[in-house]
Amino acid sequence: MGLGLSIGAMTPAWADSGASGQALVGLPDFTPIVKQYGPAVVNISTTETRVARGAASPFPPNSPLNQFFAPFFGAPGQPGAPGGGAGQKYQVQSLGSGFVISSDGYIVTAAHVVKGAQKIIVSLTNHHQYAAHLVGLSARMDVALLKIDAKNLPVVQIGDSSKLEVGQWVLAVGSPFGFENSVTQGVISATSRPLPDDPYIPFVQTDVPINPGNSGGPLFNMRGQVIGINDQIYTNSGGYMGLSFSIPINVAMDAVKQLKLHQKVHFGWLGVMIQDVSMDLAKSFHMKEPVGALVSQVVPDGPAAKAGLRPGDVIVSFDGQAIYNSGQLPPLVGVLPAGFKAKLGVIRDGKPMSLNIVVESLPGNLENTVESAASGGPAQEGEVKRLNVQVGPLTAEARKQLHVNTGVLVLGVGVGPAAEAGIRPGDVILQVAQQQITNAAGLQKLVAALPAGQPIPVLVRRGEGSFYLVLSLPH
């Protein structure tokens, strides 16, 4: 019996399907989007006047690093450099991107691109340049509206960011590092992603390569619709590292409508400070799971205070939508109009309850909404040995600066349970085990009665914010 083989007849099935079969996933072609809507993307250059700090650049005059450090230190011959002088003014130029939303010259960009600029120049793809007027901006939303004196301009098509899905293709057009009308692509990595410094914006996270100069430019879907404004990157190097964040176009355009009417951009407000619930905090509040937004501070006379919300409450739902972490709540509330009535699902002392709340507008100056009440009698300074901390009374100056009316000031922290919990000198202990602290004697008495080996919630004030720590006392 022969063992001859025909190589052609033995071609593997996988090789045949790869060569002649239809692709399972079609590769996107972005050229129609770029051709049709690319001309509506603009380059924005700004000029800002700054004051020299009075220190010279540490690099030689011919060093290429001077172009980056000169605005901060002053290059030779500039204010702040040798021969210059601290306090003198100099000009700094920067670049960004934007897009035309109406043929008569309205342009949307990011607020940080144009904030503080004395001169704004908009350049189109046909190389025409226009001086732009700033109609208005919202620094908190990071959206700005510009106007140029032009007609019959190409415009973008506005999409619906509420319909975005993780994994769909998106396209960015902008001017990274000043390279005008650069095109980059990627997919949506996450939606409604809150960031620590921008809690009111439910960012669209993508892996689209974005770099300095892309800010303010459009993020397109495959229909050629703008579904976001490219805004931020996460980076350790100053360049793109795979994480880009865009402002959802629905949120941005709501702000644009208000700016066009010369109105202040509204944000819904509950009047609380919140934090995530860790496993230890969940145990200390008698919760089965570490979910929700833990209320650490309630603004007097704010919506939450009027609704009966207290520090130590855990918000687990808002207007019927589940809240799994503290980052979910601000974007949900921020887009709501003043007067909107919602139902809060709350866990208090381990038990579920429901509260009705009426959303108000975020005050322009939150510090003004925190009122000081008359102070109580002076507390005695003392040591809480079981915690190994030294505490003292709040001075009138501390009450005013920290906006607190009760509690004890931590003067010193030794090795022990308080230090392990993260309590520091300068903190104000407001609550222990959800009991208000008014003086050192009361704190000593309460701590002496606490059980050993169980997680205890401690509410502290540090700087302008209050938050919970978990204390565990030894046997």
Side-chain angles (χ1 to χ4, degrees):
M1 181 180 293
L3 295 176
L5 297 176
S6 172
I7 296 178
M10 293 295 292
T11 303
W14 56 265
D16 180 68
S17 62
S20 60
Q22 185 176 1
L24 295 178
V25 180
L27 296 176
D29 180 8
F30 301 104
T31 54
I33 298 175
V34 177
K35 289 179 180 178
Q36 185 168 352
Y37 296 109
V41 182
V42 302
N43 178 56
I44 298 174
S45 60
T46 64
T47 302
E48 179 183 356
T49 300
R50 295 182 182 176
V51 178
R53 299 182 180 180
S57 171
F59 302 100
N62 59 349
S63 171
L65 294 177
N66 264 323
Q67 65 176 308
F68 300 106
F69 286 90
F72 302 96
F73 296 99
Q78 287 186 332
Q88 293 190 17
K89 297 181 180 180
Y90 64 97
Q91 290 188 331
V92 175
Q93 294 183 333
S94 59
L95 297 174
S97 304
F99 52 95
V100 183
I101 61 170
S102 66
S103 61
D104 59 346
Y106 281 100
I107 295 169
V108 172
T109 185
H112 72 264
V113 171
V114 295
K115 185 178 180 180
Q118 282 80 42
K119 186 178 181 181
I120 305 172
I121 299 296
V122 170
S123 301
L124 306 183
T125 56
N126 60 9
H127 304 295
H128 290 180
Q129 292 187 340
Y130 300 86
H133 163 68
L134 177 62
V135 178
L137 62 79
S138 169
R140 186 179 290 271
M141 189 59 71
D142 204 15
V143 173
L145 180 65
L146 307 179
K147 179 67 169 67
I148 62 175
D149 186 12
K151 296 180 179 179
N152 301 319
L153 296 175
V155 299
V156 298
Q157 182 181 3
I158 301 299
D160 184 356
S161 55
S162 69
K163 297 180 179 179
L164 298 179
E165 295 185 6
V166 174
Q168 76 177 77
W169 285 98
V170 283
L171 180 78
V173 184
S175 304
F177 301 111
F179 295 105
E180 300 178 10
N181 299 101
S182 296
V183 178
T184 52
Q185 52 78 29
V187 298
I188 293 178
S189 306
T191 58
S192 299
R193 180 77 79 191
L195 297 179
D197 295 334
D198 302 277
Y200 280 94
I201 306 177
F203 283 99
V204 180
Q205 180 186 328
T206 75
D207 68 347
V208 178
I210 299 295
N211 285 289
N214 274 114
S215 290
L219 186 70
F220 292 98
N221 63 15
M222 292 298 94
R223 294 184 177 181
Q225 300 168 329
V226 176
I227 46 83
I229 301 176
N230 299 316
D231 191 67
Q232 297 187 33
I233 59 175
Y234 178 86
T235 177
N236 289 325
S237 64
Y240 170 74
M241 294 183 67
L243 295 174
S244 304
F245 299 93
S246 302
I247 304 168
I249 198 63
N250 291 12
V251 175
M253 292 306 295
D254 183 61
V256 166
K257 291 177 183 177
Q258 297 173 69
L259 293 174
K260 195 171 183 178
L261 296 173
H262 303 284
Q263 297 175 347
K264 180 181 177 182
V265 175
H266 159 83
F267 294 91
W269 179 63
L270 297 185
V272 293
M273 289 191 69
I274 53 178
Q275 67 183 89
D276 281 339
V277 180
S278 66
M279 183 65 75
D280 287 339
L281 280 171
K283 291 179 181 178
S284 71
F285 285 103
H286 312 293
M287 297 172 59
K288 295 180 179 179
E289 296 179 294
V291 297
L294 173 60
V295 177
S296 59
Q297 184 176 339
V298 178
V299 176
D301 298 323
K306 296 173 184 176
L309 211 61
R310 307 174 186 171
D313 288 346
V314 180
I315 301 173
V316 293
S317 68
F318 177 81
D319 196 34
Q321 183 163 339
I323 303 297
Y324 296 102
N325 57 66
S326 61
Q328 290 180 260
L329 189 59
L332 287 176
V333 177
V335 298
L336 296 176
F340 184 90
K341 298 178 180 180
K343 191 173 292 293
L344 289 175
V346 174
I347 301 294
R348 178 178 292 173
D349 298 326
K351 299 178 182 179
M353 62 181 299
S354 180
L355 296 174
N356 296 315
I357 194 166
V358 180
V359 176
E360 297 181 12
S361 291
L362 179 72
N365 186 347
L366 285 177
E367 292 186 359
N368 291 339
T369 67
V370 183
E371 300 174 359
S372 296
S375 61
Q380 298 298 316
E381 185 175 323
E383 180 182 3
V384 183
K385 293 184 178 180
R386 200 177 182 195
L387 299 181
N388 198 12
V389 295
Q390 191 79 17
V391 297
L394 284 173
T395 64
E397 182 180 355
R399 292 174 185 271
K400 182 178 180 180
Q401 183 176 357
L402 297 174
H403 304 293
V404 293
N405 307 311
T406 186
V408 294
L409 182 65
V410 178
L411 303 176
V413 181
V415 177
E420 294 172 0
I423 296 175
R424 307 175 187 173
D427 288 348
V428 177
I429 299 177
L430 302 174
Q431 290 182 7
V432 175
Q434 296 185 269
Q435 300 295 315
Q436 295 286 343
I437 302 300
T438 57
N439 53 51
L443 176 62
Q444 290 173 332
K445 183 178 180 180
L446 177 60
V447 170
L450 291 175
Q454 294 185 14
I456 305 297
V458 178
L459 181 61
V460 301
R461 180 79 166 190
R462 182 177 296 164
E464 291 295 317
S466 301
F467 55 92
Y468 280 93
L469 298 172
V470 179
L471 180 72
S472 182
L473 294 170
H475 293 277

